[in-house]
Amino acid sequence: MKKVKFLIPAFALVALTFAGCSDDDGGDDQPVVTKLALADPAQAALTFVATSPEAQVIALDTDASTVTVEQVLAEGESKAEWCVVTIQSASQIKVAPANNLTTAVRTAKYRISAGTVTPVEFTVTQDFPEPVDATLSIDLEGEYGYFFTAPAAGGDVTVTTVTTNAHLWTAELDPGYGDEPYCTLKTASGGSGDALVVTFLPNTQGMMQSGASVTVSAGNAEPITIYISQDAPLATSVTIYDADWANVLTSPYGVNFAKDEFSSAKKQEFGVEANGECSVKVVAVGTETEVTDAWIESYYGRGAWVIYAVSENKTGAERKLDVILVGENDKELFRMKVTQAGV
């Protein structure tokens, strides 16, 4: 009988030991989350209309029993009180924005998390209502109309930036006269802050091209018309004629004025045949150094080169300056040697 008394407590202790191990192994086990993704990847970017938006439900592909959702805030960004996000289940999240009564699109970004798997994110973008009174402006000076001149080289040229409170602005090009338009629209529409870009062909005409215009419209705002020109290419060669276009002149060519022969009424004019645009410089004799306070006035335009003295010569001695016509790369194309008598 004594042996039995000792054996019973021993068996009981062993039984308790095994029971305790069984509880420890299984009592704290939790299901491990192995996947979390949007069932439809397109739902990573939800869009809503401005007024009376219908709620959308995001479907999740996950084996999680619970998920959490939080808004991802950029620095300085406020919580999107206008958007209500509700977890309906571990696999469904409801997104319901309020009416957008502002004048701008609004957005919010959210992150869905479960366990230790990589979170997934989605964005909410809500449109704004079309304004009753649309506004429209551009960043060109336009006291007497809007004008823009593109470079002769052509290419895609930003004409202006368009600002509007409407959803979109649209542009329409009038190519003007001529058989072949020298420009086309690169951007026919855009949102506020977008650039109006026009594509120009290289100008090989030897003169400025003009006549085209672009009209920009937005909502019920007053449309804006921009008149578009294109610079002539810079000249690489010129032929200079006398005032009657009868004789070809050779560089350098001498131009003389009497001491009291001055003002535009006493100008001397020369014909210019150039394969591009030219500019005029008044320089010291025999140099290319420009003179800032010159007694000569000279300008070029529309095939004519004009030179005249601006004052009477009271120095008692003749005075001299050169006037040069320059083209591409500031290259000298022709030189006039101008003298005003002193007596």
Side-chain angles (χ1 to χ4, degrees), residues 42 69 73 84 169 185 195 231 236 255 268-269 272 278 288 310-311:
V69 181
L73 295 173
V84 178
W169 54 263
L185 278 178
D231 275 333
T236 57
V255 178
Q268 294 194 38
E269 187 170 332
V272 179
C278 303
E288 294 183 356
V310 297
S311 62

Side-chain angles (χ1 to χ4, degrees), residues 123-139:
T123 58
V124 176
T125 302
Q126 187 177 24
D127 201 359
F128 64 96
E130 195 68 47
V132 176
D133 296 313
T135 60
L136 177 65
S137 63
I138 59 176
D139 61 0

Side-chain angles (χ1 to χ4, degrees), residues 9-286:
F11 282 119
L13 181 60
V14 172
L16 288 172
T17 301
F18 280 106
C21 290
S22 176
D23 288 344
D24 289 342
D25 288 342
D28 295 332
D29 282 352
Q30 295 292 331
V32 177
V33 179
T34 62
K35 61 178 180 177
L36 176 64
L38 299 176
D40 180 2
Q43 289 192 307
L46 302 180
T47 58
F48 294 87
V49 296
T51 56
S52 301
E54 292 187 7
Q56 298 184 44
V57 176
I58 294 177
L60 298 176
D61 179 15
T62 183
D63 55 5
S65 58
T66 60
V67 296
T68 60
V69 181
E70 61 179 338
Q71 185 180 352
V72 181
L73 295 173
E75 185 176 353
E77 183 181 4
S78 301
K79 186 177 180 182
E81 302 289 353
W82 52 271
C83 187
V84 178
V85 178
T86 306
I87 300 174
Q88 295 185 317
S89 69
S91 60
Q92 289 190 325
I93 296 173
K94 181 180 178 181
V95 181
N99 289 336
N100 185 2
L101 303 180
T102 70
T103 58
V105 171
R106 56 189 182 184
T107 61
K109 185 176 183 179
Y110 296 89
R111 179 181 295 125
I112 306 170
S113 303
T116 59
V117 296
T118 302
V120 294
E121 295 182 345
F122 67 93
T123 58
V124 176
T125 302
Q126 187 177 24
D127 201 359
F128 64 96
E130 195 68 47
V132 176
D133 296 313
T135 60
L136 177 65
S137 63
I138 59 176
D139 61 0
L140 295 177
E141 296 293 332
E143 184 176 358
Y144 301 106
Y146 295 101
F147 300 89
F148 180 84
T149 302
D156 294 339
V157 179
T158 297
V159 174
T160 186
T161 298
V162 182
T163 303
T164 180
N165 63 352
H167 280 78
L168 289 174
W169 54 263
T170 58
E172 184 176 354
L173 174 73
D174 179 355
Y177 49 83
D179 296 332
E180 295 184 8
Y182 56 90
C183 58
T184 56
L185 278 178
K186 175 79 171 183
T187 53
S189 64
S192 184
D194 288 343
L196 170 64
V197 180
V198 177
T199 301
F200 291 83
L201 296 173
N203 186 358
T204 59
Q205 300 301 310
M207 63 181 67
M208 176 177 280
Q209 299 192 107
S210 61
S213 63
V214 177
T215 299
V216 183
S217 304
N220 60 358
E222 183 72 23
I224 296 174
T225 298
I226 307 168
Y227 298 94
I228 306 292
S229 302
Q230 185 179 22
D231 275 333
L234 294 175
T236 57
S237 65
V238 295
T239 302
I240 307 300
Y241 298 86
D242 59 19
D244 298 324
W245 290 77
N247 301 300
V248 175
L249 308 182
T250 302
S251 180
Y253 183 80
V255 178
N256 299 293
F257 294 96
K259 67 181 295 291
D260 57 354
E261 193 177 11
F262 65 96
S263 81
S264 60
K266 301 294 184 178
K267 67 184 179 183
Q268 294 194 38
E269 187 170 332
F270 305 90
V272 179
E273 190 176 82
N275 65 348
E277 192 62 56
C278 303
S279 59
V280 174
K281 291 183 179 181
V282 178
V283 298
V285 175

Side-chain angles (χ1 to χ4, degrees), residues 282-295:
V282 178
V283 298
V285 175
T287 74
E288 294 183 356
T289 304
E290 289 191 72
V291 177
T292 56
D293 189 19
W295 52 268

